[in-house]
Amino acid sequence: MSPAPRTDPSLRDAGEIARELGADLERGLSSQEAARRLETEGPNELRAAPPVPKWKKLLAQLRDPLVYLLLVAVVVSLAVWALRGADEPPVDAIVIAVIVVANAVLGYVQGARAEQAVAALKRMTAATSAVVRDGELRRVPSAELVRGDLLVLGEGDAVGADARLVQAAALRVQEASLTGESEAVLKDPATLREHVALGDRTAMVWKGTAVTQGTGRAIVTATGMSTQMGAIATMLERAKAEETPLQREIAHVGRMLGLAVIVIAAIVVGTVFATSDVESLADAVQVLLLGVSLAVAAVPEGLPAILSVVLALGVQRMAKHRAIVKELSSVETLGSASVICSDKTGTLTRAEMTIERVTTASGSARVTGIGYTPKGRVEDENSELVGGPLHAEDIVVLSGGALASDAELHERDGEWTIEGDPTEAAFLVAEHKLGAHERRKKRFARVAVVPFTSERKRMSTIERDHEHGDELVLITKGAPDVLLERCTRVRVGMDAVALDEAWRTRIVADVDALTDDALRTLSVAYRPLATDESARADESLEHDLIFVGTVGIIDPPRAEAGVAVHEARRAGIRVLMITGDHPRTALRIATDLGIAEPGARALTGNQLESLDEAALRGAVHATSVYARVAPEHKLRIVDALQAEGNVVAMTGDGVNDAPALKSADIGIAMGVTGTEVTKEAAKMILADDNFATIVRAVREGRGIFDNIRKFLRYLLSSNMGEVLTVFFGVVLADVIGLRGAGDGVVVPLLATQILWINLVTDSGPALAMGVDPETDDVMARPPRPLHERVIDRRMWAGVLLVGAVMAFATLLAIDLHLPGGLFDGAHALERARTAGFTTLVLAQLFNCFNARSEDTSAFRHLFVNPWLWGAVVLGVVLQIAVVELPFLQHAFGTEPLTLVQWLLCAGLASLVLWVSELRKLLARRSR
């Protein structure tokens, strides 16, 4: 194991620390050594709360007041059984205990599945860091960093571990998360002379901070809990995860329903005591067990676990579509999105800058083909450009742009990819199409670079020309207006002529024509240098240039983006484009994709700055395209949209986009081009940077929310059926013949039967509905307002109606079998109760199909969910077993039914489906 550096590495020389840690400042660690250290030192992670043992998780399923009631019921049943002499097995106590344990196991399994799904998502969104290993630059999970690793830092990176800087170029790091300092700190690898506060240790970078500017390299000195962030990890360990709004509402519904049902159960128990002959302790226990069982069965205590599983599985499904949702709560918000604010480049477009036109002194040429695959040609009036002045000028423009560039073009396994700036790569691709690439590579050798900056708006390189006696030439590429100011001549064919006013006017007109066609413009110029000029490679060389020509570049829109925009608009979602590009370019792409109407206007960053908050709210209401917008403007746009009551999804990729992403209801980071800081701030990550993926995720989010409503509708209506059956069975006991059907206490359902219904018909079908394919066209309706309740009045009305029909069918089944009721039957109480019990179970299974939609017929898309059919078939098989198998008959108080009786029960149970179908038909016609 490598030794640890002494305290405060900022006071020691970086080379000394590298030697002590066995690190190589050029090649980094070897892969084998890094693996050995990771094995020895452990992962670079903050200590999480210790895992809860499985037995504790299982016992946690029993921490419910209603379960406590059941356990009390078990104790009471055992006491009564003992007082009776313990002649027969304590059937009631055993059945209740088995059902309690079964429910606990089911809840544990559901919780474990949810935890596994969330853990898988965390692995997908894990941060990565750039390191040098085996002499190669690699990107590895930050959790695999070890002491001695050579970190490579760039703008947008999240610092993966505490590290001592080796080199830095304009490196600034935001350390607010650690030190509270709001301003980014300028870093310097120089050794400090004295011990200073954490925020002043400029030679160090810290785990959990973010690079906002510049580049650097640093040796990792501490990982995991040994980092400065690890020193405050105890606060993180105490932090509790907050419930989502959806979870809070469902918990509220459960509490309210539980309170209501306990009151109803108390009324039922009181009514039974008042109207029945309760002559013994056993009778009293039976009545109390009925009340407790009714309360337990009516409250969907499994809702939180089912909700977590459904959300987690839905989010995993979204991840397969390349939309990685970091927080389960975001799924709910995603379905409510009313505005999507999207970047242009890479999201709505291919992010493959393509030169479309070249204009020079001798005319204009068209370049065919799009993307980075160098297939296409340079054409003059629809024929390939070969020879002549225009050809010679185009060679200088395209090869010159390729020289004044740091991009590279590679072919790997038949696929062309780039490294570097996409705009610079466009010159390389066009140069290949012209056939000038190989000659240019042999002819020129780079001597020095005057780099591009946003202030200079240009880049120059000094090249040695091997075909002209190794003379030096300065090649400059940049914005046309900037270059023209520094040019005194213009290239015409093979010659250079004076750049007079007429030439300037023509060049400006050519640039304007390209801009009018929404093309991004870059110009190329050059001049020969004297031998002694190469000694000062700076911008002072950029004068007396020879202007060559201008290219028009476009980032082609994605073919699927237009379809996605149309789908979003169909769903009532506004799509806004926010880009730093030119307004004309933005409007062309926006119009092509259907984001803006023809003739629409774009709002620029400068115009945004001149608007007060009230004026901005009015502007965002009518404007769909924002151009020349800086990242800080995005935050104002988000705030203005939210002030208008919108639920905003915002995309971003740069460090400065992070505040807007945090402020948006759904911050969406680019997975390919996005920085680590942006991914950290976002709630969702696009693995493919594609706008169509956002719309697909919205559809998936709406589908998940619909499925949550499905199983809520199912659980609540089914449980309501149980409550109403027992309540009206007791109240109407004389009417349906129950009162005289037996001695002592006579109730429509036994406590064990109610608990069986709760076990068989709740979790399985509800979970199956959680993965139900889309029943309704979720994109054919407007976004759901966030203030709208998950369980609204309409759903409650449906729940009560279905519950009432279930109760009616169940009590009718009992009445048809009992003598002395509305219908004079000929069977004993046990057979009648078995028929009612079976009818209620089958009615709830019929309700599975009915609950899949508030409006759509249950017979539409009937066979698209095999899991639901599996849950229904299993429920039927279990009910047949409890009715027909002798040992279960004794436990649950049932008798075997004839085929005719089974068919009668099924027919009565199907009333739930037919009444709901009629209600849906009337609702559709009324609309």
Side-chain angles (χ1 to χ4, degrees):
M1 180 175 174
S2 58
R6 293 194 296 274
T7 305
D8 195 355
S10 63
L11 301 177
R12 303 176 58 207
D13 179 71
E16 180 186 347
I17 292 175
R19 287 190 296 275
E20 188 169 310
L21 288 171
D24 189 319
L25 295 181
E26 295 298 327
R27 297 184 54 81
L29 296 175
S30 67
S31 299
Q32 294 82 358
E33 177 61 18
R36 188 190 67 78
R37 294 187 185 189
L38 183 64
E39 178 73 22
T40 304
E41 300 173 5
N44 173 36
E45 296 173 333
L46 298 181
R47 183 175 58 244
V52 179
K54 292 181 180 179
W55 64 270
K56 282 191 175 182
K57 290 181 181 179
L58 185 60
L59 287 180
Q61 302 299 320
L62 303 177
R63 293 177 190 165
D64 188 294
L66 297 176
V67 175
Y68 297 157
L69 282 176
L70 276 182
L71 295 176
V72 170
V74 170
V75 173
V76 172
S77 295
L78 287 174
V80 172
W81 169 74
L83 289 173
R84 284 177 175 174
D87 295 329
E88 295 182 355
V91 175
D92 286 347
I94 292 172
V95 170
I96 295 172
V98 168
I99 289 175
V100 168
V101 171
N103 267 323
V105 171
L106 192 59
Y108 170 80
V109 171
Q110 290 170 349
R113 288 195 69 183
E115 287 179 4
Q116 290 168 4
V118 171
L121 290 171
K122 285 185 177 179
R123 288 193 294 271
M124 292 177 71
T125 59
T128 60
S129 296
V131 296
V132 176
R133 285 186 182 168
D134 300 317
E136 296 179 355
L137 181 63
R138 299 178 185 175
R139 198 144 198 107
V140 301
S142 295
E144 296 180 8
L145 292 177
V146 296
R147 289 183 305 116
D149 257 328
L150 185 59
L151 272 182
V152 180
L153 303 170
E155 183 176 321
D157 284 343
V159 180
D162 289 2
R164 171 67 164 86
L165 281 172
V166 176
Q167 61 187 55
L171 182 66
R172 290 184 180 272
V173 180
Q174 177 58 260
E175 298 179 343
S177 59
L178 187 64
T179 66
E181 173 60 52
S182 59
E183 295 292 325
V185 179
L186 180 64
K187 294 296 183 176
D188 187 335
T191 304
L192 300 183
R193 295 182 178 179
E194 59 183 1
H195 184 75
V196 293
L198 207 62
D200 296 324
R201 298 180 197 174
T202 52
M204 297 291 296
V205 289
W206 312 108
K207 178 180 175 66
T209 59
V211 179
T212 61
Q213 180 184 319
T215 59
R217 291 193 173 200
I219 297 176
V220 173
T221 56
T223 61
M225 293 302 293
S226 299
T227 63
Q228 294 295 332
M229 192 65 76
I232 57 172
T234 49
M235 291 186 289
L236 298 176
E237 290 174 358
R238 295 194 203 104
K240 293 183 178 178
E242 293 187 7
E243 287 184 323
T244 68
L246 182 60
Q247 288 173 322
R248 284 196 295 270
E249 179 165 355
I250 287 179
H252 172 74
V253 169
R255 286 192 297 270
M256 293 300 99
L257 188 63
L259 182 62
V261 168
I262 289 173
V263 171
I264 292 174
I267 294 173
V268 168
V269 169
T271 303
V272 172
F273 271 116
T275 59
S276 301
D277 297 326
V278 182
E279 299 176 346
S280 65
L281 181 60
D283 290 342
V285 169
Q286 183 178 346
V287 175
L288 292 174
L289 284 179
L290 174 70
V292 170
S293 302
L294 182 63
V296 171
V299 178
E301 66 274 359
L303 264 184
I306 294 173
L307 176 66
S308 296
V309 172
V310 169
L311 283 173
L313 292 177
V315 168
Q316 277 194 320
R317 207 160 52 246
M318 293 169 76
K320 292 178 181 177
H321 292 299
R322 310 188 71 77
I324 302 170
V325 177
K326 294 167 59 181
E327 301 176 12
L328 296 183
S329 59
S330 300
V331 173
E332 177 189 8
T333 314
L334 197 60
S336 303
S338 57
V339 178
I340 301 176
C341 299
S342 175
D343 283 329
K344 177 181 72 68
T345 304
T347 310
L348 292 166
T349 62
R350 293 166 56 97
E352 295 181 343
M353 302 301 291
T354 304
I355 292 179
E356 193 174 89
R357 297 233 291 280
V358 185
T359 62
T360 61
S362 298
S364 178
R366 177 173 172 267
V367 184
T368 65
I370 61 173
Y372 296 135
T373 302
K375 291 183 179 179
R377 62 183 189 175
V378 181
E379 296 180 343
D380 176 17
E381 297 180 356
N382 296 324
S383 61
E384 186 171 4
L385 186 63
V386 180
L390 183 58
H391 182 265
E393 293 160 4
D394 282 1
I395 288 177
V396 179
V397 171
L398 298 179
S399 293
L403 284 169
S405 159
D406 289 322
E408 295 181 15
L409 182 67
H410 301 286
E411 182 186 14
R412 296 188 180 97
D413 300 324
E415 184 174 343
W416 291 85
T417 58
I418 67 157
E419 291 179 12
D421 184 85
T423 302
E424 294 184 344
F427 281 92
L428 286 169
V429 176
E431 184 190 36
H432 272 277
K433 294 174 182 177
L434 189 60
H437 177 68
E438 293 302 324
R439 181 186 174 191
R440 188 264 303 170
K441 282 185 67 177
K442 295 176 182 177
R443 177 176 176 179
F444 293 98
R446 180 175 292 188
V447 176
V449 179
V450 184
F452 172 88
T453 67
S454 56
E455 294 78 20
R456 283 167 31 80
K457 296 183 179 179
R458 62 189 184 276
M459 171 186 181
S460 296
T461 63
I462 300 173
E463 307 286 340
R464 191 174 302 280
D465 186 350
H466 297 309
E467 289 187 4
H468 287 77
D470 286 344
E471 70 176 27
L472 299 177
V473 60
L474 178 78
I475 311 288
T476 305
K477 174 181 91 271
D481 55 338
V482 173
L483 252 61
L484 269 176
E485 292 176 358
R486 287 161 175 75
C487 291
T488 56
R489 288 175 290 172
V490 59
R491 175 78 174 239
V492 181
M494 302 299 292
D495 301 317
V497 302
L499 182 62
D500 56 21
E501 197 58 36
W503 274 115
R504 287 184 183 276
T505 301
R506 178 180 165 182
I507 291 170
V508 170
D510 288 342
V511 172
D512 288 342
L514 294 173
T515 304
D516 287 341
D517 286 340
L519 297 173
R520 182 180 178 185
T521 56
L522 279 176
S523 297
V524 175
Y526 74 99
R527 79 174 177 91
L529 295 179
T531 305
D532 59 342
E533 285 186 298
S534 63
R536 49 185 181 87
D538 56 40
E539 61 183 72
S540 65
L541 297 176
E542 297 168 341
H543 63 85
D544 294 328
L545 301 176
I546 302 170
F547 189 89
V548 185
T550 305
V551 298
I553 306 173
I554 190 169
D555 181 9
R558 290 180 182 266
E560 64 274 23
V563 177
V565 169
H566 173 75
E567 184 76 347
R569 295 182 70 169
R570 190 171 72 88
I573 303 171
R574 282 184 69 199
V575 179
L576 308 184
M577 177 193 289
I578 303 178
T579 179
D581 218 334
H582 193 280
R584 287 194 187 98
T585 307
L587 280 170
R588 172 179 166 178
I589 298 295
T591 304
D592 289 348
L593 293 176
I595 294 172
E597 300 297 328
R601 297 174 62 87
L603 195 63
T604 65
N606 288 337
Q607 292 169 330
L608 279 172
E609 290 179 356
S610 66
L611 299 177
D612 60 22
E613 298 308 314
L616 181 58
R617 284 199 296 272
V620 298
H621 187 71
T623 306
S624 297
V625 181
Y626 300 83
R628 288 287 188 251
V629 170
E632 56 267 24
H633 296 139
K634 286 188 174 183
L635 188 57
R636 289 195 67 200
I637 295 172
V638 169
D639 291 342
L641 287 166
Q642 289 173 328
E644 290 288 299
N646 290 293
V647 178
V648 182
M650 167 72 78
T651 68
D653 54 8
V655 176
N656 292 333
D657 289 333
L661 296 193
K662 271 192 172 292
S663 181
D665 299 282
I666 311 154
I668 304 172
M670 301 296 104
V672 179
T673 60
T675 62
E676 290 294 330
V677 175
T678 316
K679 294 174 188 176
E680 187 68 28
K683 293 180 181 175
M684 187 169 101
I685 299 173
L686 295 186
D688 57 1
D689 291 10
N690 192 340
F691 177 82
T693 302
I694 302 175
V695 178
R696 195 180 298 117
V698 170
R699 174 184 281 276
E700 193 72 45
R702 288 189 177 190
I704 291 170
F705 190 79
D706 265 17
N707 287 349
I708 290 171
R709 288 175 63 93
K710 288 176 189 179
F711 72 68
L712 282 174
R713 188 183 300 117
Y714 168 73
L715 287 175
L716 294 176
S717 57
S718 296
N719 291 358
M720 188 64 69
E722 297 169 35
V723 173
L724 295 179
T725 294
V726 176
F727 179 74
F728 286 110
V730 170
V731 172
L732 302 175
D734 290 325
V735 177
I736 62 176
L738 264 178
R739 187 78 65 206
D743 299 327
V745 178
V746 178
V747 290
L749 296 173
L750 298 176
T752 50
Q753 291 173 347
I754 294 174
L755 294 174
W756 172 264
I757 295 171
N758 201 41
L759 177 68
V760 170
T761 65
D762 268 14
S763 294
L767 279 173
M769 280 184 224
V771 294
D772 200 39
E774 191 176 303
T775 307
D776 302 322
D777 185 357
V778 297
M779 299 300 273
R781 58 176 183 250
R784 181 185 69 89
L786 277 180
H787 57 77
E788 181 182 294
R789 303 307 297 260
V790 178
I791 308 172
D792 54 18
R793 291 183 180 180
R794 189 180 179 203
M795 185 187 288
W796 278 121
V799 163
L800 289 171
L801 175 63
V802 171
V805 174
M806 283 186 187
F808 170 77
T810 303
L811 295 177
L812 181 57
I814 292 174
D815 190 6
L816 287 171
H817 287 80
L818 284 176
L822 293 173
F823 302 92
D824 198 18
H827 297 281
L829 175 61
E830 285 72 17
R831 179 68 59 89
R833 189 182 277 150
T834 301
F837 172 40
T838 300
T839 299
L840 185 53
V841 169
L842 296 180
Q844 294 196 9
L845 295 177
F846 273 113
N847 191 34
C848 291
F849 304 103
N850 163 61
R852 292 177 65 225
S853 175
E854 193 83 55
D855 301 301
T856 303
S857 169
F859 297 99
R860 186 181 178 191
H861 308 305
L862 184 60
F863 299 103
V864 297
N865 188 348
W867 295 105
L868 185 59
W869 278 98
V872 169
V873 170
L874 178 62
V876 171
V877 169
L878 290 174
Q879 184 61 23
I880 292 173
V882 86
V883 171
E884 302 296 336
L885 296 181
F887 75 95
L888 290 176
Q889 291 170 356
H890 183 62
F892 290 93
T894 59
E895 284 191 359
L897 298 176
T898 66
L899 178 60
V900 172
Q901 288 169 334
W902 272 103
L903 292 175
L904 175 64
C905 292
L908 290 173
S910 70
L911 284 175
V912 169
L913 189 60
W914 305 124
V915 170
S916 295
E917 285 295 299
L918 179 60
R919 179 185 64 81
K920 291 178 182 180
L921 178 63
L922 293 174
R924 290 196 298 270
R925 287 188 174 180
S926 68
R927 286 201 300 274

